[in-house]
Amino acid sequence: MGKSCKKSGSSNDTTTRSLVTSSSIDPKPLAVQIPNPNPTKQEEETANHAPIVSSYNERIRPLLDAVDDLRRLNIMKEGIQLPTIVVVGDHIARNMPEIVKQINDKLNASVLEFNNMPKVMSSPAEAMTTFMRVIGLTKDSLRKLFLRGEFEEYPDDKSMHSTARLAEMLNRFSDKLQKCAEQDLTKDFLAEELGILEESKSIGLPNFLPRNAFLVVLQKEVDSVSKLPVEFIENVWDYIEEIVLTVLMRHSDNYYHLQMSARRAANNFITRLKEQSINRVMEIVEMEKYVDYTCNPEYMTEWTKLFTQQEIFFQVLGETQKYSQVDLDGFGIIKVNYLRKYTTQVVHQAFDLKMRMTAYWKIVLRRIVDNMALHLQFSLQNLVDKEMEATIVNELMDPHCGGLERMMAESPAVAGKREKLSRSINLLRKSKAVVAKIMDNFHVSND
């Protein structure tokens, strides 16, 4: 019997043993489950797979669940790339942190963009404050561009460097005006003056130059260039309108109804100012036709220099057998044969008229350019300081246009953008929470 018990204990065949406590009380057996020393094949497979299953449940399954949660949140539409295959082992630490970084970057960018959007205006007072701020910013920008020549707001856009562009336009106008006034001064010398003097004859002393003859010549000269100033001022105002609208639209970009009212008002007052400028330029040109006056001493200096050549001119004119032409300073070589058929008195008057007109015409051309420059600068100052603000305020306050209440409404584009950003931020925050939770669990399990 004892032999049999020893064999049984050494072979470990039994899976349950009775342990007896030694005490004064009746001993009670306590059963303890111990591993089977001879497990079956199924039991061996189950025991071998247990660590893998445990690792999967603790480390891999949560990652799969996290990716599935992110997919259900549709995080991919925010540009976040999710792995299509979950890589286990050390590579997990390289995949999930990258997703976390993408989510954080996108969230920060969306929050910044959302915060930079204009506040929704909740009252007419707030709308008026916003409107005045937009007008103030626009006026300041235009003052820099038009009057002070400061273009730091548009450093790379040369079309917005207004003082330089306007100066170029004025210089081109001046050059074009001079070229238009130029003519062949040697061709038919004094012919026009002689014809005008012939038609200006009157009963009176013969040695007086008729003022009307001078005005007739002056009017013909002015008419020959009268279209150029009008063309110049039209081009200038087209450019000014482009600059004003560009600046105004930039500062009111987030206020749809204000932008529409401001554009309409800007078009209206610039059209009105353009018409006023054209009328003013036409007046400037017309004044030159009827008034022959200048206080510029250059006129007398130039006329004296030209008129002193009359002695040489008439000396050549009188030498019928020797000379047929004369070289006059400021004109060139003049043929004189055809002038010998006129009386000396008439030719004297024609010569005097020619020299006076030549000297005075230089003054007129410079004065037209100067007047264009002065008028342009005054118009720009008036536009920035008076016209723009008053006109846009009147346009905005017009009850037929909806007034301030209409400006308080957001444009469909801005409202849609605000809603889209809000949804995106909520989605990214939920995704961040999902990933943060699984990353915390993952780090704990690694520890």
Side-chain angles (χ1 to χ4, degrees):
M1 186 70 178
K3 194 175 183 178
S4 174
C5 290
K6 183 178 181 181
K7 182 179 180 181
S8 175
S10 62
S11 62
N12 296 326
D13 288 335
T14 61
T15 59
T16 303
R17 292 182 180 179
S18 297
L19 300 178
V20 181
T21 59
S22 57
S23 70
S24 59
I25 307 175
D26 292 339
K28 294 181 180 179
L30 178 64
V32 178
Q33 186 75 25
I34 62 174
N36 187 357
N38 296 312
T40 65
K41 184 176 181 180
Q42 182 177 1
E43 289 175 336
E44 286 182 351
E45 290 180 353
T46 302
N48 290 336
H49 291 169
I52 298 177
V53 172
S54 176
S55 177
Y56 174 83
N57 289 332
E58 292 179 3
R59 303 181 62 176
I60 307 303
R61 182 71 259 174
L63 294 176
L64 290 171
D65 293 340
V67 172
D68 288 340
D69 289 341
L70 293 177
R71 291 188 191 280
R72 281 193 292 272
L73 289 173
N74 201 16
I75 192 65
M76 291 83 71
K77 74 177 183 179
E78 298 297 332
I80 308 300
Q81 299 297 321
L82 296 179
T84 56
I85 299 176
V86 177
V87 182
V88 299
D90 295 336
H91 296 288
I92 295 177
R94 285 182 243 150
N95 286 332
M96 293 307 289
E98 179 60 27
I99 296 176
V100 172
K101 182 180 181 302
Q102 292 182 38
I103 292 176
N104 286 336
D105 291 345
K106 182 68 175 179
L107 178 60
N108 292 336
S110 298
V111 170
L112 179 62
E113 186 176 2
F114 185 85
N115 290 338
N116 287 335
M117 290 191 69
K119 294 173 59 179
V120 178
M121 291 175 285
S122 58
S123 66
E126 188 175 356
M128 176 56 77
T129 301
T130 300
F131 165 71
M132 296 308 298
R133 182 177 61 83
V134 169
I135 295 301
L137 291 172
T138 302
K139 288 174 62 176
D140 187 56
S141 295
L142 292 178
R143 192 174 286 108
K144 290 178 180 178
L145 294 172
F146 286 146
L147 305 178
R148 299 205 297 262
E150 300 171 5
F151 47 82
E152 66 273 8
E153 294 181 19
Y154 304 89
D156 300 322
D157 189 353
K158 292 187 176 181
S159 65
M160 299 296 290
H161 304 174
S162 300
T163 52
R165 302 292 81 80
L166 290 172
E168 290 173 354
M169 295 174 73
L170 185 65
N171 290 336
R172 287 196 298 269
F173 165 68
S174 178
D175 294 340
K176 193 172 183 180
L177 195 65
Q178 294 290 341
K179 290 179 180 178
C180 183
E182 289 177 358
Q183 52 184 323
D184 187 358
L185 299 177
T186 63
K187 183 180 180 181
D188 299 330
F189 185 71
L190 300 184
E192 182 180 12
E193 287 76 11
L194 288 167
I196 291 174
L197 287 170
E198 181 68 23
E199 297 303 317
S200 300
K201 291 185 298 185
S202 62
I203 299 174
L205 295 175
N207 61 340
F208 282 90
L209 180 64
R211 181 171 180 270
N212 182 60
F214 183 85
L215 291 178
V216 170
V217 176
L218 177 61
Q219 288 169 6
K220 292 183 67 175
E221 294 289 346
V222 173
D223 283 337
S224 68
V225 299
S226 60
K227 293 182 180 180
L228 295 181
V230 175
E231 178 184 305
F232 163 72
I233 209 67
E234 287 179 341
N235 292 336
V236 164
W237 277 106
D238 288 342
Y239 172 75
I240 291 173
E241 181 176 19
E242 180 181 345
I243 299 300
V244 170
L245 290 177
T246 298
V247 174
L248 189 58
M249 294 303 100
R250 180 171 72 90
H251 288 302
S252 62
D253 184 50
N254 293 320
Y255 306 100
Y256 175 68
H257 295 292
L258 170 60
Q259 195 172 63
M260 291 194 300
S261 299
R263 176 184 287 275
R264 182 167 54 251
N267 286 328
N268 291 340
F269 81 76
I270 289 177
T271 298
R272 177 164 48 80
L273 291 178
K274 181 178 181 180
E275 292 175 354
Q276 292 175 359
S277 284
I278 291 174
N279 293 334
R280 177 57 183 160
V281 166
M282 293 176 67
E283 287 179 356
I284 291 172
V285 174
E286 286 296 309
M287 286 190 298
E288 296 293 351
K289 292 182 179 182
Y290 302 107
V291 180
D292 51 340
Y293 171 79
T294 181
C295 63
N296 193 331
E298 289 184 13
Y299 166 71
M300 289 302 299
T301 302
E302 183 70 13
W303 174 79
T304 301
K305 184 179 74 171
L306 294 172
F307 193 73
T308 53
Q309 300 181 91
Q310 69 170 335
E311 183 177 350
I312 299 174
F313 178 78
F314 284 102
Q315 182 180 347
V316 171
L317 191 63
E319 296 289 343
T320 58
Q321 302 298 324
K322 287 186 177 182
Y323 305 104
S324 62
Q325 59 187 28
V326 60
D327 187 2
L328 295 179
D329 185 25
F331 295 92
I333 298 177
I334 306 297
K335 295 180 179 180
V336 298
N337 283 337
Y338 71 95
L339 295 174
R340 292 186 172 118
K341 64 182 179 180
Y342 296 98
T343 64
T344 302
Q345 178 185 334
V346 172
V347 176
H348 264 284
Q349 288 182 325
F351 186 86
D352 187 9
L353 179 58
K354 184 72 171 181
M355 299 303 115
R356 290 177 185 274
M357 190 67 241
T358 301
Y360 185 65
W361 186 235
K362 294 179 180 179
I363 302 295
V364 171
L365 292 179
R366 284 199 293 266
R367 188 160 59 200
I368 290 176
V369 175
D370 289 344
N371 283 331
M372 293 298 104
L374 294 175
H375 172 68
L376 176 58
Q377 288 300 107
F378 176 78
S379 298
L380 289 173
Q381 190 82 45
N382 186 52
L383 181 152
V384 174
D385 292 339
K386 297 179 181 179
E387 293 290 339
M388 186 181 72
E389 183 174 354
T391 306
I392 295 179
V393 167
N394 291 335
E395 180 78 24
L396 190 65
M397 295 303 177
D398 188 349
H400 299 291
C401 297
L404 288 174
E405 289 76 10
R406 186 168 182 263
M407 196 184 83
M408 291 167 58
E410 282 191 312
S411 70
V414 173
K417 181 180 179 181
R418 189 186 299 277
E419 178 63 24
K420 181 180 178 182
L421 282 173
S422 180
R423 288 198 304 267
S424 176
I425 291 171
N426 290 333
L427 172 61
L428 289 166
R429 283 174 174 166
K430 291 179 181 179
S431 301
K432 182 179 179 180
V434 169
V435 176
K437 181 178 180 181
I438 191 60
M439 288 299 294
D440 289 343
N441 294 336
F442 179 71
H443 288 311
V444 169
S445 65
N446 280 344
D447 294 340

